[in-house]
Coordinates of all heavy atoms in Angstrom, one line a residue:
S22 N -6.5 1.0 1.6 CA -7.7 1.6 1.1 C -8.4 0.8 0.0 O -7.7 0.1 -0.8 CB -7.4 3.0 0.6 OG -6.3 3.0 -0.4
A24 N -11.1 2.1 -2.9 CA -11.4 3.5 -3.2 C -12.1 3.6 -4.6 O -12.1 2.7 -5.4 CB -10.1 4.3 -3.2
D26 N -11.2 6.1 -7.6 CA -10.1 7.0 -8.1 C -10.6 7.8 -9.3 O -11.1 7.2 -10.2 CB -8.9 6.2 -8.5 CG -8.1 5.6 -7.4 OD1 -8.4 6.0 -6.2 OD2 -7.3 4.7 -7.6
G40 N -10.3 1.6 -7.3 CA -8.8 1.8 -6.9 C -8.6 1.5 -5.5 O -9.4 0.8 -4.8
G41 N -7.5 2.0 -4.9 CA -7.2 1.8 -3.5 C -6.0 0.9 -3.4 O -5.9 -0.1 -4.1
S42 N -5.2 1.2 -2.4 CA -3.9 0.5 -2.2 C -4.2 -1.0 -1.9 O -3.5 -1.9 -2.5 CB -3.2 1.1 -1.0 OG -3.9 1.1 0.2
Y45 N -5.4 -2.9 -5.2 CA -4.3 -3.3 -6.1 C -3.4 -4.4 -5.5 O -3.0 -5.4 -6.2 CB -3.5 -2.1 -6.5 CG -4.1 -1.2 -7.5 CD1 -4.5 0.1 -7.1 CD2 -4.4 -1.6 -8.8 CE1 -5.2 1.0 -8.0 CE2 -5.0 -0.7 -9.7 CZ -5.4 0.5 -9.3 OH -6.0 1.4 -10.2
F93 N -14.1 5.8 0.3 CA -12.9 6.6 0.2 C -12.8 7.1 -1.3 O -13.0 6.3 -2.2 CB -11.7 5.7 0.5 CG -10.4 6.4 0.5 CD1 -9.7 6.8 1.6 CD2 -9.7 6.6 -0.7 CE1 -8.4 7.3 1.6 CE2 -8.4 7.1 -0.8 CZ -7.8 7.5 0.4
W95 N -10.1 9.3 -4.1 CA -8.9 9.9 -4.3 C -8.9 10.5 -5.7 O -9.4 9.9 -6.7 CB -7.7 9.0 -4.2 CG -6.3 9.6 -4.5 CD1 -5.6 10.5 -3.8 CD2 -5.5 9.3 -5.7 NE1 -4.5 10.8 -4.4 CE2 -4.4 10.1 -5.6 CE3 -5.7 8.5 -6.8 CZ2 -3.3 10.1 -6.5 CZ3 -4.7 8.5 -7.8 CH2 -3.5 9.3 -7.6
T111 N -8.3 14.2 -1.5 CA -8.5 13.0 -0.7 C -9.7 13.1 0.2 O -9.8 14.0 1.0 CB -7.2 12.7 0.1 OG1 -6.0 12.8 -0.7 CG2 -7.2 11.4 0.8
N137 N -0.9 1.3 2.1 CA -1.0 2.8 2.4 C -2.4 3.1 2.9 O -3.4 3.0 2.2 CB -0.8 3.5 1.0 CG -0.9 5.0 1.1 OD1 -0.8 5.6 2.2 ND2 -1.3 5.6 0.0
I138 N -2.4 3.6 4.2 CA -3.7 4.1 4.8 C -3.2 4.7 6.1 O -2.0 4.7 6.4 CB -4.7 2.9 5.0 CG1 -6.1 3.4 5.4 CG2 -4.2 1.9 6.1 CD1 -6.8 4.2 4.3
M161 N 2.5 7.1 2.3 CA 2.7 8.1 1.3 C 2.8 9.5 1.9 O 2.6 9.6 3.1 CB 1.5 8.1 0.2 CG 0.2 8.6 0.8 SD -1.1 8.6 -0.4 CE -0.7 9.8 -1.5
F163 N 0.8 12.0 2.2 CA -0.3 12.4 2.9 C -0.2 12.1 4.4 O -0.5 12.8 5.3 CB -1.6 11.7 2.3 CG -2.9 12.2 2.9 CD1 -3.5 13.3 2.3 CD2 -3.5 11.5 3.9 CE1 -4.8 13.7 2.8 CE2 -4.7 11.9 4.4 CZ -5.4 13.0 3.9
W164 N 0.3 10.9 4.7 CA 0.5 10.4 6.1 C 1.8 10.8 6.7 O 1.9 11.0 7.9 CB 0.3 8.9 6.2 CG -1.0 8.4 5.6 CD1 -1.2 7.7 4.4 CD2 -2.3 8.7 6.0 NE1 -2.5 7.5 4.2 CE2 -3.2 8.2 5.1 CE3 -2.8 9.5 7.1 CZ2 -4.6 8.3 5.3 CZ3 -4.2 9.6 7.3 CH2 -5.1 9.0 6.4
P244 N -0.3 5.0 -14.4 CA 0.5 4.1 -13.5 C -0.2 3.9 -12.1 O 0.4 3.3 -11.2 CB 1.8 4.9 -13.3 CG 1.4 6.3 -13.4 CD 0.2 6.4 -14.3
T245 N -1.4 4.4 -11.9 CA -2.0 4.4 -10.5 C -2.0 2.9 -10.1 O -2.5 2.0 -10.8 CB -3.4 4.9 -10.6 OG1 -3.4 6.2 -11.1 CG2 -4.0 5.0 -9.2
G246 N -1.6 2.7 -8.9 CA -1.6 1.3 -8.3 C -0.4 0.5 -8.6 O -0.3 -0.6 -8.2
A247 N 0.5 1.0 -9.4 CA 1.7 0.3 -9.8 C 2.5 -0.1 -8.6 O 3.0 -1.3 -8.5 CB 2.6 1.0 -10.8
G248 N 2.7 0.8 -7.6 CA 3.5 0.5 -6.4 C 2.8 -0.5 -5.5 O 3.5 -1.4 -5.0
D249 N 1.5 -0.5 -5.4 CA 0.7 -1.4 -4.6 C 0.8 -2.8 -5.3 O 0.9 -3.8 -4.6 CB -0.7 -1.0 -4.5 CG -0.9 0.4 -4.0 OD1 -0.2 0.8 -3.0 OD2 -1.6 1.2 -4.7
Ligands
LIG310 P1 0.2 3.9 -6.0 O1 -0.1 4.4 -7.4 O2 0.5 2.4 -6.0 O3 1.1 4.6 -5.2 O4 -1.2 4.0 -5.2 C1 -2.4 4.5 -5.7 C2 -3.6 4.2 -4.9 O5 -3.5 4.8 -3.6 C3 -4.9 4.8 -5.4 O6 -5.7 3.8 -5.9 C4 -5.6 5.6 -4.3 O7 -6.9 5.3 -4.1 C5 -4.7 5.2 -3.1 N1 -4.5 6.4 -2.2 C6 -4.3 7.7 -2.5 N2 -4.2 8.5 -1.4 C7 -4.3 7.6 -0.3 C8 -4.3 7.9 1.1 N3 -4.0 9.1 1.6 N4 -4.4 6.8 1.9 C9 -4.7 5.5 1.3 N5 -4.7 5.3 0.0 C10 -4.6 6.3 -0.8

Side-chain angles (χ1 to χ4, degrees):
S22 55
D26 289 346
S42 57
Y45 286 113
F93 180 104
W95 178 72
T111 304
N137 176 29
I138 195 64
M161 72 180 291
F163 188 85
W164 305 112
T245 307
D249 309 310

